[in-house]
């Protein structure tokens, strides 16, 4: 797809080339091959976004089929959030929240989050994103057990194929080995298969008296869009209670409506002791995350601690980010976007099933709300994979037809992942399914 433009092809190509050269020279990209960046430069240089669409400097328009990084929930181009940011910056651009200092927006947002979260999750420590929020949770649970005199309770159990971020602690907690290739990561993290039997066996092996917490995404995102086994989290909650282990839910991707409920854990009838948030709280319009703790945990920390909680980020509770979050949450509620997630999520699942009926290489389709995946196998019956991942080629082909998606090949997977903005409509869902179908057909005929 190409937008009409008054600029000549030569002009836009020249502008792209100049920026691409500066990009290669000066910008160190996250989660990118150094060689690929140096040799190829940026695939896109985006300049505009509207709804589910992004436009790059050369006039190419693509469907943002992954909400960029699972986070642009309300869609691109919402001027209300820019206005909220501007009004707040004009009034109070920044003030520290250290040492009991506060401001209006952070108080309002903390109350709003408390009203949205399940159970007695009631107090939020704000960060700049999900990695910081997870690190905060890990430090806090260990601090909690230290205050209780149980200093041996340091280990944190996480699931294999999990993703929790890329700061030191969050990388250490991530169950995907590819993210743990850096040397000297944090100690005392354990990884377990996604079965209650495996978790129970690990607790017995290590000793519950050494385990501080268990952390999990309600639905694994970067690990392959994997919903939990039936009844898994109710059993996790019971097991954590039995062994005096804190339960952390990482809702960075699933929070604020992505699954068709306000929080993913609501589908699984389990309330954690700590809930980690980011991404969807601002729909990516401003960097913000947080750790939400239970009323019980809050009261215990108050009773147990006489000293200072020596943890805080410069931008914890940034006024502008909080203002953007409040406006974002208002839009989600007033425009009934979570209801649209449920409706369009059902359309996606129908589309995925249609794809599975047409392509015998689709071994599995899965998802919840607007979080879905299609898994490719050479022989689904024997679960045999292709020699090279097909999903990578399908995503490359889909880009030619105007669709941004994600290929997940960690741990031998071959998965197409999609998580479009909440504002998507039925026709746009059909377009995405059609492009996936066309791209699969092309790749399978050409390369397989």
């Amino acid at each position: 797809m190409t937008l009409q433009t008054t600029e000549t092809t030569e002009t836009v190509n020249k502008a792209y080339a100049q920026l691409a050269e500066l990009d290669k020279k000066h910008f160190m990209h996250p989660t990118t091959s150094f060689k690929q960046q140096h040799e190829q430069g940026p695939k896109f240089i985006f300049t505009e976004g509207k709804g589910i669409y992004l436009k790059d400097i050369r006039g190419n328009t693509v469907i943002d089929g992954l909400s960029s990084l699972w986070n642009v929930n309300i869609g691109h181009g919402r001027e209300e959030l820019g206005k909220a940011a501007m009004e707040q910056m004009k009034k109070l651009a920044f003030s520290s929240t250290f040492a009991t200092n506060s401001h209006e927006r952070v108080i309002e947002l903390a109350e709003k989050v408390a009203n949205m979260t399940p159970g007695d999750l009631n107090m939020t420590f704000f960060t700049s994103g999900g990695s910081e929020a997870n690190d905060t949770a890990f430090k806090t649970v260990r601090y909690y057990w230290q205050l209780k005199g149980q200093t041996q309770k340091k280990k944190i159990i996480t699931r294999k194929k999990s993703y929790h971020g890329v700061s030191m602690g969050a990388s250490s907690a991530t169950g995907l080995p590819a993210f743990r290739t850096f040397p000297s990561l944090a100690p005392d993290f354990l990884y377990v298969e996604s079965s209650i039997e495996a978790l129970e066996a690990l607790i017995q092996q290590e000793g519950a008296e050494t385990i501080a917490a268990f952390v999990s995404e309600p639905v694994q995102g970067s690990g392959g869009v994997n919903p939990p086994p039936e009844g898994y989290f109710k059993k996790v909650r019971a097991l954590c209670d039995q062994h005096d282990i804190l339960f952390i839910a990482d809702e960075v991707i699933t929070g604020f409506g992505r699954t068709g409920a306000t929080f993913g854990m609501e589908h699984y009838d389990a309330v954690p002791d700590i809930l980690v948030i980011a991404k969807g709280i601002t729909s990516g319009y401003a960097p913000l995350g947080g750790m939400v703790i239970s009323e019980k945990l809050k009261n215990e920390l108050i009773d147990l601690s006489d000293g200072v909680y020596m943890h805080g980020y410069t931008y914890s509770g940034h006024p502008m980010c909080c203002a953007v979050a409040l406006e974002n949450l208002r839009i989600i509620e007033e425009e009934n976007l979570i209801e649209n997630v449920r409706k369009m999520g059902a359309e996606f699942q129908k589309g995925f099933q249609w794809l599975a009926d047409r392509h015998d290489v689709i071994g599995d389709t899965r998802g919840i709300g607007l979080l879905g995946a299609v898994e490719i196998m050479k022989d689904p019956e024997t679960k045999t994979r292709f020699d090279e991942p097909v999903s990578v080629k399908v995503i490359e082909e889909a880009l030619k037809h105007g669709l941004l998606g994600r290929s997940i090949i960690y741990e031998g997977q071959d998965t197409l992942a999609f998580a479009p903005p909440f504002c998507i409509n039925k026709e746009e869902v059909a377009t995405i399914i059609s492009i996936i179908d066309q791209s699969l057909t092309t790749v399978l005929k050409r390369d397989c």
Side-chain angles (χ1 to χ4, degrees):
M1 299 170 64
T2 303
L3 294 182
Q4 294 295 321
T5 177
T6 56
E7 296 180 286
T8 65
T9 301
E10 182 180 355
T11 300
V12 296
N13 285 342
K14 183 178 179 181
Y16 168 81
Q18 289 173 339
L19 286 171
E21 191 59 35
L22 291 172
D23 181 283
K24 289 194 290 183
K25 187 175 181 180
H26 298 297
F27 178 40
M28 187 172 176
H29 285 253
T31 316
T32 299
S33 160
F34 288 117
K35 280 187 170 58
Q36 183 183 35
Q37 177 187 349
H38 177 71
E39 294 170 0
Q40 299 179 17
K43 190 173 293 182
F44 291 100
I45 298 175
F46 290 116
T47 60
E48 295 179 39
K50 189 71 175 176
I52 70 165
Y53 300 98
L54 288 167
K55 188 182 87 169
D56 87 336
I57 194 170
R58 291 170 291 188
N60 301 309
T61 301
V62 296
I63 295 171
D64 187 359
L66 202 75
S67 298
S68 289
L69 277 177
W70 326 84
N71 63 334
V72 187
N73 288 358
I74 66 171
H76 298 278
R78 294 301 299 253
E79 293 183 4
E80 302 98 312
L81 272 66
K83 290 177 181 176
M86 179 183 71
E87 291 303 318
Q88 183 57 46
M89 285 191 286
K90 284 164 60 178
K91 184 178 181 182
L92 177 66
F94 177 75
S95 68
S96 168
T97 57
F98 282 32
T100 77
N101 291 309
S102 198
H103 58 80
E104 295 165 287
R105 299 294 86 79
V106 75
I107 296 169
E108 292 167 357
L109 182 58
E111 180 193 31
K112 181 66 175 177
V113 171
N115 290 336
M116 297 177 78
T117 47
D120 68 339
L121 292 158
N122 203 33
M123 174 177 271
T124 301
F125 178 100
F126 288 106
T127 68
S128 298
S131 293
E132 285 184 358
N134 272 312
D135 271 16
T136 298
F138 304 149
K139 287 178 70 175
T140 301
V141 297
R142 287 168 171 163
Y143 179 61
Y144 167 77
W145 291 117
Q146 177 181 295
L147 290 173
K148 295 195 77 169
Q150 299 183 55
T151 55
Q152 74 278 20
K153 286 178 80 72
K154 298 183 293 185
K155 297 173 186 174
I156 294 172
I157 299 175
T158 180
R159 293 164 66 196
K160 294 180 179 179
K161 295 184 181 178
S162 68
Y163 177 82
H164 299 292
V166 293
S167 56
M168 185 71 80
S171 290
S172 304
T174 292
L176 295 163
F179 289 92
R180 302 199 311 272
T181 56
F182 293 87
S184 300
L185 292 182
D188 295 318
F189 286 90
L190 307 171
Y191 315 98
V192 69
E193 296 288 351
S194 296
S195 74
I196 202 68
E197 293 80 13
L199 177 58
E200 192 161 20
L202 185 58
I203 292 171
Q204 293 297 328
Q205 174 188 309
E206 298 292 327
E209 71 279 2
T210 71
I211 299 170
F214 170 80
V215 58
S216 179
E217 302 156 279
V219 178
Q220 291 176 331
S222 296
V225 188
N226 304 305
E230 186 70 29
Y232 178 72
F233 285 116
K234 285 189 71 172
K235 294 173 183 175
V236 165
R237 177 73 274 179
L239 199 58
C240 287
D241 289 340
Q242 177 187 341
H243 292 290
D244 209 14
I245 295 168
L246 294 176
F247 177 19
I248 305 168
D250 180 346
E251 295 255 13
V252 169
I253 287 177
T254 52
F256 302 101
R258 172 59 62 187
T259 65
T262 305
F263 293 97
M265 277 297 171
E266 293 177 43
H267 295 284
Y268 307 118
D269 197 22
V271 179
D273 301 293
I274 294 176
L275 187 140
V276 175
I277 55 176
K279 294 189 186 291
I281 192 170
T282 65
S283 287
Y285 281 67
L288 188 67
M291 171 192 73
V292 192
I293 65 173
S294 69
E295 187 74 7
K296 178 179 180 294
L297 185 55
K298 178 190 83 171
N299 289 334
E300 284 195 80
L301 288 169
I302 293 169
D303 291 341
L304 291 166
S305 176
D306 292 323
V308 175
Y309 176 63
M310 296 297 290
H311 178 74
Y313 301 105
T314 299
Y315 297 119
S316 292
H318 190 286
M320 180 275 288
C321 297
C322 291
V324 170
L326 286 163
E327 183 64 13
N328 173 66
L329 297 177
R330 181 194 68 77
I331 289 171
I332 289 173
E333 290 181 342
E334 291 190 5
E335 297 185 8
N336 296 314
L337 289 179
I338 297 179
E339 176 62 24
N340 196 58
V341 169
R342 289 192 283 269
K343 290 178 180 177
M344 293 304 103
E347 291 298 321
F348 254 103
Q349 293 308 314
K350 288 179 188 175
F352 287 161
Q353 186 56 54
W354 178 79
L355 288 170
D357 292 340
R358 283 176 53 80
H359 299 278
D360 57 12
V361 298
I362 293 179
D364 183 32
T365 64
R366 54 186 180 268
I368 182 168
L370 285 176
L371 185 61
V374 173
E375 189 161 3
I376 299 171
M377 296 181 181
K378 186 175 184 179
D379 186 342
E381 288 190 13
T382 62
K383 299 192 181 300
T384 304
R385 304 282 185 186
F386 285 93
D387 292 337
E388 295 182 1
V390 172
S391 58
V392 174
K393 297 176 181 178
V394 172
I395 291 300
E396 290 174 352
E397 183 66 27
L399 268 179
K400 299 175 185 177
H401 304 284
L403 173 62
L404 273 171
R406 182 164 180 174
S407 169
I408 295 176
I409 57 175
Y410 306 123
E411 295 297 280
Q413 296 184 81
D414 197 358
T415 299
L416 304 169
F418 299 95
F422 296 0
C423 56
I424 195 169
N425 61 40
K426 191 172 181 179
E427 292 72 26
E428 290 165 338
V429 171
T431 298
I432 290 176
I433 297 298
S434 176
I435 292 173
I436 298 169
D437 176 48
Q438 183 179 2
S439 301
L440 260 172
T441 300
T442 299
V443 169
L444 291 170
K445 283 183 178 180
R446 185 187 66 208
D447 301 328
C448 304

